[in-house]
Amino acid sequence: MKNTEKLEIQQIANDKKAFLTGENFYLQHLLGAHREEHGYIFRVWAPNALAVFLVGDFNDWQDWAMEKDPDTGIWQIYCEEANEGDLYKFKVRQADGREILKIDPFAVRFEKRPGDAAELYNFPDKKWKDGLWRGRSKRSNPFKRPLNIYEMHASSWKHHEDGTPYRFAELKDELIPYLVEMNYTHVEFMPLMEHPLGRSWGYQLIGYFALSSYFGTPAEFQDFVEECHLNNIGVFVDWVPGHYCINDDTLPYYDGTPQFEYTDPDRAKNNRWGSINFDLGKPQVQSFLISSAMFWIEMFHIDGIRVDAVSSMIYRDYDEGPWTPNHEGGNRNYEGVYFLQKLNAVIKLAHPNILMIAEESSSDTQITGMIESGALGFDFKWNMGWMNDVLRFYEMDPIFRKDHFNLITFSFMYMMQENFILPLSHDEVVHGKKSLMHKMWGDRYKQFAQLRNLYTYFMTHPGKKLLFMGSEWGQFLEWKFDEGLEWGDLGDSLNQSMQHFTATLNDFYKNQPALWELEESYDTIEIIDADNTAETILSFIRQGKRKKDFLIVILNMTPVERRDFQIGVPYPGTYKEVWNTEMEEFGGTWTKANVDCQTELGDFKQYQQVIKTTVPALGALILKPESINTRKK
């Protein structure tokens, strides 16, 4: 036996041992189908199966018996007849004797729906051209940089005339220029991994290593990400490590016993979503999931992962129905907590610049921050509380807003407890919740005015930003996952103006360091007046590193124009209006901005200087110091 063969055998043995202990983070190199000199080697983990057979195009779907490694429960077979493009499955004789065709959990490509056979696919040897972007990302501090995300469902952004969605080869040519034109810094995709039902939006997966064939080939997605990077756009992908598709021919009870899922049937079944929960405490499952995350990061050069439904992984009572307390009698799922800490630790060790984002709705667990301090180790957390409070406020008739002003001010009390992303996401524009535009109170003109007001508050409130597709121009209809966006809206002048407003606001955000330089500290914000419930106007300052670099934000939440409106300011001098949501170019009625404001002596809360200006009805203003004396406060 040659030395190279001995080394290969030893490496495989080491990989198997690491898999059993939960320390193999490149498990796809061991399991699945792999091209060798004269054929393919197939391996699958099914420890309690009575027998496993390989079936596929290359053997006319006849049973070819696989050989079991009794120490690991891994079955394998070498097949010289297999060729790239062939479809295949594993026939598993389960522990109870039942035979069922199962998918390859490590397949990197599947046939198109409704079929779910794996397809033999060899990744091309890509020579990436995004070295400049990746190098810059390693040197950049994401907490002190603008982060403005365009959230997308890849197959419903645009459709062809025949109703088919754009593939990534087409999105590369149309979406990327649009992202650049709209001044977004990142794009985030709802899950792209293989899933059998479009209605799940990708949140019930079967293929954790496979780009859905619905979106194109893996090579096309690689080219898409590369082109994004060449245009200074980062790419995030949603990922679902908590639960998976219940279909019998996929992962559930793979060998006839609880294999990927919990042994306790109450913990295994996810009643809320009709799916199956991963046993996050099982070492083999940890290897499987962490390998999946590493695969997407390294094969596709994505810049971050948004982990879906974190609450379902860290609380035993999150689901509907019966639940089992932990050994202390509480509701904490310690296996889930440990898994997420391990996931973040492994990824950060290998790729420190990758952003890990949690979609999590509770406040009982520290999500972002150092694992050593007890946190889960994520970089960012979606601020679901902010989203729910703010949308409730903007849906309200303005006559009642003065009595519920805390809905837009309460977030200032906890905004530094986590590193937050402010999400105006897909979850809020579906299932009868209405689009963001449709949520706004009043007639169509007032709805646009309030949407501009909302987006200004969204962009000036501390926290990174995320907006779902279609919301940038105020699409009135709810999002439909199986249709393209209502691009015909842009034939209307108000929708055009709204789209222009969003692009201009995004650009304003990127070019104003006061909106992101100090976001890790309370120094980033100074409240001017959060008590003006009578007029229902909120005002605050966003501060940059330099003393003179700050913005004054004034938000009028009522349909009443406020003339000679007075607020305090920190320094004497002149303040210039740099943002007005009611300008004609944005769909408003103002043709001229307010004149520059000159301070006067006067007491206003903690300030000894005041300015006066006119605040548009349902409008928002941003002022910037033009010429001030910072020695006198």
Side-chain angles (χ1 to χ4, degrees), residues 235-396:
V235 181
F236 299 150
V237 172
D238 286 9
W239 182 61
V240 192
H243 62 107
Y244 52 92
C245 179
I246 201 170
N247 287 10
D248 195 34
D249 58 343
T250 60
L251 295 181
Y253 300 94
Y254 198 89
D255 62 9
T257 67
Q259 183 175 327
F260 290 95
E261 50 276 292
Y262 290 103
T263 303
D264 179 347
D266 287 339
R267 298 188 69 190
K269 188 175 181 181
N270 191 310
N271 297 290
R272 184 185 294 262
W273 295 308
S275 55
I276 302 290
N277 294 321
F278 280 109
D279 181 351
L280 299 174
K282 188 175 288 184
Q284 298 94 327
V285 172
Q286 293 174 3
S287 283
F288 172 76
L289 289 172
I290 295 175
S291 295
S292 168
M294 293 285 279
F295 171 83
W296 282 85
I297 291 167
E298 296 183 359
M299 290 304 296
F300 296 109
H301 285 202
I302 63 172
D303 302 283
I305 291 175
R306 180 264 201 182
V307 178
D308 182 64
V310 168
S311 289
S312 71
M313 290 184 275
I314 62 177
Y315 300 112
R316 288 180 174 227
D317 61 347
Y318 179 79
D319 194 18
E320 301 163 350
W323 63 280
T324 306
N326 61 33
H327 64 281
E328 296 175 340
N331 70 341
R332 191 61 56 93
N333 182 12
Y334 290 115
E335 300 100 306
V337 170
Y338 172 74
F339 165 73
L340 290 169
Q341 290 177 327
K342 181 177 179 178
L343 166 74
N344 286 319
V346 169
I347 288 177
K348 285 297 181 181
L349 182 63
H351 303 284
N353 57 308
I354 292 297
L355 295 184
M356 297 298 291
I357 302 165
E359 188 256 343
E360 203 275 334
S361 54
S362 76
S363 58
D364 294 337
T365 301
Q366 186 68 26
I367 303 300
T368 61
M370 300 295 290
I371 294 171
E372 293 79 2
S373 69
L376 296 186
F378 284 95
D379 295 297
F380 292 103
K381 172 186 175 179
W382 275 23
N383 193 337
M384 313 290 278
W386 175 90
M387 175 188 67
N388 290 323
D389 287 350
V390 165
L391 292 181
R392 275 181 60 203
F393 183 85
Y394 277 88
E395 286 179 288
M396 194 177 295

Side-chain angles (χ1 to χ4, degrees), residues 37-75:
E37 187 175 359
H38 299 296
Y40 283 84
I41 186 80
F42 296 83
R43 296 191 187 96
V44 63
W45 176 55
N48 295 310
L50 301 179
V52 180
F53 306 92
L54 174 68
V55 297
D57 289 339
F58 38 79
N59 66 0
D60 293 324
W61 296 85
Q62 302 301 306
D63 298 350
W64 282 3
M66 300 176 72
E67 183 180 353
K68 182 180 181 181
D69 177 356
D71 295 328
T72 62
I74 294 174
W75 302 74

Side-chain angles (χ1 to χ4, degrees), residues 10 129 170 295 398 412 454 468 520:
Q10 184 59 49
K129 303 173 185 175
E170 296 160 310
F295 171 83
F412 294 138
L454 167 62
F468 186 60
E520 292 180 284

Side-chain angles (χ1 to χ4, degrees), residues 444-445 448 473 492-499 586-587:
R444 192 162 185 263
Y445 181 87
F448 274 111
W473 71 73
D492 181 273
S493 61
L494 284 175
N495 288 115
Q496 286 180 18
S497 297
M498 188 69 218
Q499 186 187 48
F586 299 145

